[in-house]
């Protein structure tokens, strides 16, 4: 009888879904920033579902250009935090050209 009970409990345990399979996963947003000394840089946001947004970054090293670019990046970052995303990783391209920010929202 004991063996039958243990076998029943074992079969029920196998039937249950693993905990990891029950989680809905995560959403990842990638923000790519290419800033230029002269001309116009770009900020590209890649969202789940292959959706992308592109914004211009005013290039240049004068004070007003740098402030405008910083405000654009700040608005994007604030918006992602308000949507529940958290910055998980950053890295730059070769020679420091461009920056990539990885934001994650756990479900």
């Amino acid at each position: 009888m004991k063996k039958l009970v243990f076998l029943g409990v074992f079969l029920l345990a196998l039937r249950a879904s693993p905990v990891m399979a029950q989680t809905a996963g995560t959403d990842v947003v990638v923000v790519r920033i290419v800033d230029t000394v002269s001309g116009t840089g770009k900020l590209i946001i890649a969202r789940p579902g292959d959706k992308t947004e592109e914004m211009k970054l005013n290039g240049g090293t004068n004070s007003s250009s740098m402030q405008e670019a910083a405000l654009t990046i700040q608005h994007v970052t604030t918006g992602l935090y308000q949507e529940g995303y958290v910055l998980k990783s950053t890295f730059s391209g070769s020679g420091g050209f461009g920056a990539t920010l990885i934001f994650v929202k756990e479900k």
Side-chain angles (χ1 to χ4, degrees):
M1 186 68 179
K2 262 188 187 180
K3 289 182 183 179
L4 197 54
V5 170
F6 284 127
L7 180 61
V9 170
F10 177 73
L11 289 175
L12 282 174
L14 285 178
R15 187 172 169 251
S17 299
V19 173
M20 289 301 289
Q22 294 176 7
T23 61
T26 58
D27 283 342
V28 177
V29 171
V30 176
V31 177
R32 181 83 170 116
I33 303 168
V34 178
D35 202 359
T36 60
V37 175
S38 62
T40 304
K42 292 182 182 180
L43 185 144
I44 298 176
I45 304 167
R47 294 180 172 273
D50 296 332
K51 299 173 190 168
T52 60
E53 301 171 47
E54 186 173 321
M55 302 174 135
K56 292 181 189 178
L57 285 178
N58 196 4
T61 56
N62 65 37
S63 183
S64 65
S65 296
M66 291 173 50
Q67 287 176 9
E68 186 179 325
L71 283 173
T72 300
I73 296 167
Q74 192 267 341
H75 288 298
V76 168
T77 305
T78 299
L80 289 170
Y81 273 104
Q82 288 174 347
E83 292 175 30
Y85 288 93
V86 176
L87 182 64
K88 288 290 183 177
S89 180
T90 64
F91 54 94
S92 63
S94 62
F97 180 73
T100 303
L101 312 174
I102 308 293
F103 291 87
V104 176
K105 177 167 59 171
E106 310 256 342
K107 289 186 177 180

